[in-house]
């Protein structure tokens, strides 16, 4: 009797991938291909340490779009998630933008589809739309201005006080910005699957174990977590805070654990403790960001694919709100 494996729906599409010869020196090959292609490698702080170390530039989502805008490379190899690579493409429509894995999405961007958003927006016709950079190009095209977690407060403060505001898609960042600015905003109910996993209950326990540690958190965490935090900031701001706060030696970090690579690198000897997600896993990793690997980066540079495309009309409309943000810094 033979037993067949029952057909099960897979949580994500897993394409057939070429198996790379494990004896290949990937670092050397990536460096060679980068030169051959006149490519620049941009990486977000949530990438694995070895990808951060081989990149030409590592940054938060604001710095990455600033760097993408100024590049004279012919190819941008973007090690991050799709909305970040798409933003680089919007800023460089004449260049080739590739990603190691085009399935690297984002729960915030993916759960804010443009058709549903447009219908929802019919209730708020006279509102200024501020969209977090964690949105698709189509949502950016429907927005007045884009922000990142680094400049969200500055962006909202730039909007005249008599204007009503819709903020999408992260409700936690939106609530935090409302608190900082005193502005009322209508919030799209989106969330990040990584940051929503941190709970005040688990953090209270962790703080008891590390009484001298400061808790630092990304504003995508829920309110009860932010209320406990000693410092709140974007990935870049959290890294800088750890580096600059030299009278503190220990930090509990409530964001994706990729940032800890830079913290340890820039301040050797510092104790950084990753906040545990509620799921029982020991470390918080973004399942989308971590689809990118050195092997896939090598293949992407070799084959110049998967390539990121944005339709011309959408890119044109999305560029204005992105440029508006970049002008504010
Ligand atoms: P930063 O802008 O702080 O880098 O955040 C990007 C992101 O996706 C956070 O989850
Ligand atoms: Fe999106 Fe959250 Fe991953 Fe950032 S950590 S890319 S917000 S899913």
């Amino acid at each position: 009797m033979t037993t067949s494996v029952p057909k099960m729906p897979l949580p994500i599409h897993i394409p057939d991938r070429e198996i790379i010869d494990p004896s290949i020196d990937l670092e050397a090959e990536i460096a060679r291909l980068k030169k051959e292609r006149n490519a620049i490698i941009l990486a977000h702080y949530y990438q694995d340490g070895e990808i951060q170390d081989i990149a030409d530039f590592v940054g938060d989502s604001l710095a990455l779009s600033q760097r993408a805008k100024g590049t004279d490379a012919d190819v941008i190899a973007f090690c991050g998630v799709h909305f970040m690579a798409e933003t680089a493409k919007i800023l460089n429509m004449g260049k080739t933008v590739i990603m190691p894995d085009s399935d690297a999405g984002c729960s915030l961007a993916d759960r804010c589809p443009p058709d549903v958003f447009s219908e929802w927006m019919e209730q708020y016709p006279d509102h200024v739309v501020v969209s977090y950079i964690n949105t698709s190009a189509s949502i950016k095209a429907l927005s007045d201005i884009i922000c990142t977690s680094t400049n969200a407060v500055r962006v909202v403060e730039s909007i005249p006080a008599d204007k009503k505001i819709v903020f999408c898609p992260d409700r936690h960042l939106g609530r935090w910005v409302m608190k900082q600015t005193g502005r009322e905003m209508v919030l799209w109910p989106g969330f990040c699957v990584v940051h929503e996993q941190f709970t005040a209950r688990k953090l209270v326990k962790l703080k008891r174990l590390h009484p001298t540690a400061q808790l630092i958190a990304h504003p995508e965490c829920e309110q009860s977590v932010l209320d406990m935090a000693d410092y709140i900031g974007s990935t870049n701001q959290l890294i800088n805070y750890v580096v600059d706060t030299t009278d503190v030696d220990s930090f509990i970090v409530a964001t994706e654990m990729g940032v800890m690579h830079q913290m340890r690198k820039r301040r050797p000897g510092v104790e950084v403790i990753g906040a545990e997600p509620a799921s029982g896993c020991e470390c918080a990793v973004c399942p989308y960001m971590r689809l990118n690997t050195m092997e896939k980066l090598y293949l992407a540079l070799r084959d110049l694919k998967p390539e990121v495309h944005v339709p011309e009309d959408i890119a044109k409309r999305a560029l204005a709100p992105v440029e508006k943000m970049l002008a504010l810094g």
Side-chain angles (χ1 to χ4, degrees):
M1 198 180 86
T2 55
T3 313
S4 61
V5 178
K7 280 199 172 125
M8 302 259 292
L10 289 165
I12 55 163
H13 162 69
I14 303 178
D16 287 336
R17 292 209 190 276
E18 184 179 326
I19 305 295
I20 313 272
D21 174 355
S23 66
I24 287 183
D25 181 347
L26 282 179
E27 278 85 355
E29 280 302 295
I30 289 169
R32 181 184 65 77
L33 287 166
K34 199 180 72 168
K35 212 168 160 192
E36 212 172 284
R37 302 289 193 197
N38 187 26
I40 184 171
I41 301 176
L42 303 181
H44 188 264
Y45 292 125
Y46 291 166
Q47 294 296 278
D48 195 65
E50 57 179 352
I51 294 185
Q52 293 190 39
D53 290 344
I54 204 166
D56 295 293
F57 182 79
V58 192
D60 67 359
S61 41
L62 176 63
L64 286 166
S65 38
Q66 288 165 334
R67 189 68 186 79
K69 184 176 154 74
T71 186
D72 52 12
D74 296 319
V75 174
I76 300 173
F78 209 114
C79 302
V81 288
H82 197 261
F83 74 82
M84 296 177 174
E86 223 179 27
T87 307
K89 181 70 183 176
I90 292 165
L91 289 161
N92 294 282
M93 284 299 278
K95 293 189 193 297
T96 302
V97 179
I98 51 173
M99 291 178 73
D101 192 320
S102 54
D103 282 338
C106 165
S107 63
L108 280 166
D110 298 351
R111 293 183 192 183
C112 187
D115 52 339
V116 184
F117 182 73
S118 298
E119 204 182 315
W120 181 78
M121 270 306 296
E122 283 168 15
Q123 305 167 85
Y124 312 107
D126 50 352
H127 287 54
V128 172
V129 179
V130 179
S131 292
Y132 193 25
I133 198 162
N134 299 41
T135 45
S136 65
S138 303
I139 293 290
K140 288 186 176 76
L142 296 168
S143 308
D144 294 293
I145 188 161
I146 307 304
C147 71
T148 73
S149 49
T150 290
N151 63 16
V153 168
R154 192 158 58 240
V155 166
V156 168
E157 280 173 344
S158 76
I159 296 165
D162 59 332
K163 298 276 185 204
K164 290 187 258 182
I165 303 173
V166 157
F167 187 92
C168 88
D170 187 44
R171 59 184 170 189
H172 301 304
L173 175 65
R175 202 179 303 117
W176 179 72
V177 172
M178 287 206 295
K179 214 171 154 189
Q180 303 302 303
T181 59
R183 296 289 295 266
E184 266 305 309
M185 300 195 293
V186 178
L187 306 178
W188 173 269
F191 60 91
C192 159
V193 287
V194 179
H195 291 86
E196 273 228 344
Q197 286 278 330
F198 301 124
T199 63
R201 186 174 157 269
K202 281 229 170 191
L203 285 165
V204 166
K205 284 188 182 173
L206 201 56
K207 279 196 89 159
R208 259 188 227 130
L209 284 174
H210 304 277
T212 61
Q214 279 199 358
L215 170 63
I216 60 172
H218 195 280
E220 286 177 17
C221 296
E222 61 178 38
Q223 190 62 50
S224 55
V225 169
L226 296 183
D227 287 344
M228 294 174 63
D230 296 290
Y231 180 74
I232 297 163
S234 66
T235 51
N236 193 40
Q237 289 165 335
L238 294 177
I239 293 165
N240 288 341
Y241 183 79
V242 167
V243 173
D244 297 340
T245 312
T246 47
D247 56 335
V248 179
D249 291 327
S250 178
F251 299 86
I252 297 169
V253 183
T255 192
E256 216 273 1
M257 62 179 294
V259 296
M260 300 201 297
H261 179 68
Q262 290 295 327
M263 289 167 178
R264 291 185 179 120
K265 212 168 149 174
R266 297 192 203 171
R267 194 177 154 197
V270 71
E271 183 183 35
V272 280
I273 304 144
E276 282 175 33
S279 61
C281 295
E282 298 237 317
C283 52
V285 289
C286 172
Y288 306 97
M289 288 273 183
R290 302 298 175 135
L291 285 175
N292 295 327
T293 60
M294 288 286 279
E295 286 85 351
K296 292 181 201 171
L297 173 58
Y298 159 72
L299 289 176
L301 280 165
R302 189 193 69 184
D303 303 338
L304 287 186
K305 64 177 194 196
E307 196 180 338
V308 176
H309 296 284
V310 183
E312 285 283 348
D313 58 325
I314 290 179
K316 218 167 152 186
R317 283 187 286 133
L319 181 62
V322 171
E323 290 279 23
K324 217 162 153 185
M325 169 191 80
L326 293 176
L328 277 179

